[in-house]
Amino acid sequence: MIDALMPIYNRVDLSFEAGEGPYLVTDQGQRYLDFASGIATTNLGHAHPHLVKTLQEQAAKVWHVSNLWRIKDGERLAQRLVETTFADTVFFCNSGVEAFEAAIKLVRKYHDDNGQPQRHRVITVEGAFHGRSLNAISAAGGEKLVKGFAPLVDSFDHVGFNNTNELVNAITDETAAILVEPVQGDGGIRPADLEYLKALRRICDEHGLLLVFDEIQCGMGRTGKLFAHEWAGITPDVMMSAKGLGGGMPIGACLATEQAAKGMTAGTHGSTFGGNPLATAVGNAVLDVVLEPGFLDGVDRVARALWHRLQELAPAHPSVIQEVRGAGLMLGIRCHDQVANTDLGAALRQQGLLTVPAGDNIVRLLPPLVIDETHVRQAVEMIDAGCRQVAPAA
């Protein structure tokens, strides 16, 4: 008999009933250091006092009114994102994949308004992940994502990641945009080369394409900048955000320049729940913390500490750890082929550390941005013990 919950997840048999900062506690009283963060979503940890207070106050006032009326917290959150990014305008929705859908529609509308409706195809890269809608899995193109869901949406051309030659060769008269994650998450914690990101900007400018970044996982401070592309010193035309934007509250956003968004007029797109008072109040509370002077510097500092501790640890486990890679507090341990990432993840749970698997046999480390070096030491000790547990017999 099928479960009452549709069985589309391989859930671990743990149920959490409380959280505080970077820790989660199960209904059996087991305490875990949470280096999963709801897959890079609870960026400020659990039960952050400012977020809790904001949520409680807003919940006692008004949750939802629809986009028929002005929503002051939404206007304020949009204005703050505009002031702190490349963007001139923001559309709010409920999730990353909705932000993706908005971005793809915006790209098509831009070229249609320019009298070039034939420019509808988007170049995407191998190893990408943009969500689970039919459009999004077609954009990513990975076998595990698309198997059984054909026919796919025929609007995407796939090229190698970090490969500008292959990308330029894929441009045709129908190409409308290039879509890339500055740091791939689900695809195996693969950062784009900064020179590659700069080249994407030049290529888009030369060919009249829109540059779209997916910062759903790598944005909102996770790499030590508000958004990861800032490390390259360039800006996109369109960007998706979600996950850390709400600190656990479902909210997504599509950010764009005024020029890119010129076709998005009243009636072209929408969302019932997107940007409602509850979600945008919490989104503003997240920004209150992330934009505090010194907060992102602190993320960068603790991220470098974690990176160095992992680099020091790796040689002690040559049969388990093949490589440590990533950016900021978005790091991945690539396991050797004889060790499954899921086995190492299970061993780390036994040690009290929560992580997330990813493609390319990677164990993802996505701690909340509020960790300090005490938590780094705890995590590395657990990873050391977990590696000893799964190391193949000599």
Side-chain angles (χ1 to χ4, degrees), residues 13 48 87 117 119 133 143 179 183 265 290 327 340 353 362 364-365 377:
D13 188 19
H48 190 286
R119 300 187 83 162
S133 71
E143 183 178 354
L179 166 60
V183 185
T265 54
V290 173
L353 181 68
I362 286 279
R364 267 184 281 189
L365 304 177
R377 286 194 294 274

Side-chain angles (χ1 to χ4, degrees), residues 372-385:
D372 58 30
E373 295 197 17
T374 300
H375 306 116
V376 168
R377 286 194 294 274
Q378 290 177 353
V380 172
E381 288 172 2
M382 293 177 192
I383 295 168
D384 186 22

Side-chain angles (χ1 to χ4, degrees), residues 13-26:
D13 188 19
L14 290 175
S15 176
F16 298 104
E17 66 175 14
E20 181 180 1
Y23 295 98
L24 278 171
V25 181
T26 71

Side-chain angles (χ1 to χ4, degrees), residues 76-93:
R76 178 168 178 254
L77 181 58
Q79 185 61 40
R80 296 173 81 187
L81 289 171
V82 164
E83 290 171 355
T84 51
T85 70
F86 71 96
D88 300 310
T89 188
V90 182
F91 165 74
F92 290 118
C93 48

Side-chain angles (χ1 to χ4, degrees), residues 77-118:
L77 181 58
Q79 185 61 40
R80 296 173 81 187
L81 289 171
V82 164
E83 290 171 355
T84 51
T85 70
F86 71 96
D88 300 310
T89 188
V90 182
F91 165 74
F92 290 118
C93 48
N94 307 293
S95 66
V97 76
E98 287 183 70
F100 166 87
E101 295 290 340
I104 297 301
K105 285 182 67 177
L106 181 152
V107 164
R108 287 196 173 190
K109 195 68 167 59
Y110 168 80
H111 287 291
D112 188 80
D113 275 22
N114 280 346
Q116 296 181 305
Q118 78 282 2

Side-chain angles (χ1 to χ4, degrees), residues 33-164:
L33 184 57
D34 183 9
F35 270 38
S37 299
I39 315 180
T41 297
T42 51
N43 273 10
L44 300 183
H46 302 282
H48 190 286
H50 183 52
L51 270 61
V52 170
K53 181 173 183 292
T54 300
L55 179 64
Q56 290 174 335
E57 289 178 351
Q58 187 61 45
K61 292 191 289 187
V62 60
W63 297 16
H64 178 78
V65 295
S66 87
N67 285 294
L68 292 172
W69 324 110
R70 290 182 61 187
I71 299 172
K72 290 186 177 179
D73 267 307
E75 293 172 355
R76 178 168 178 254
L77 181 58
Q79 185 61 40
R80 296 173 81 187
L81 289 171
V82 164
E83 290 171 355
T84 51
T85 70
F86 71 96
D88 300 310
T89 188
V90 182
F91 165 74
F92 290 118
C93 48
N94 307 293
S95 66
V97 76
E98 287 183 70
F100 166 87
E101 295 290 340
I104 297 301
K105 285 182 67 177
L106 181 152
V107 164
R108 287 196 173 190
K109 195 68 167 59
Y110 168 80
H111 287 291
D112 188 80
D113 275 22
N114 280 346
Q116 296 181 305
Q118 78 282 2
R119 300 187 83 162
H120 68 281
R121 303 192 68 83
V122 177
I123 296 177
T124 60
V125 296
E126 295 170 356
F129 181 83
H130 304 296
R132 300 278 183 174
S133 71
L134 192 59
N135 234 350
I137 65 172
S138 301
E143 183 178 354
K144 286 176 63 177
L145 288 172
V146 305
K147 186 176 181 181
F149 295 109
L152 302 177
V153 178
D154 180 24
S155 294
F156 303 96
D157 298 306
H158 305 101
V159 300
F161 186 50
N162 273 330
N163 187 330
T164 51

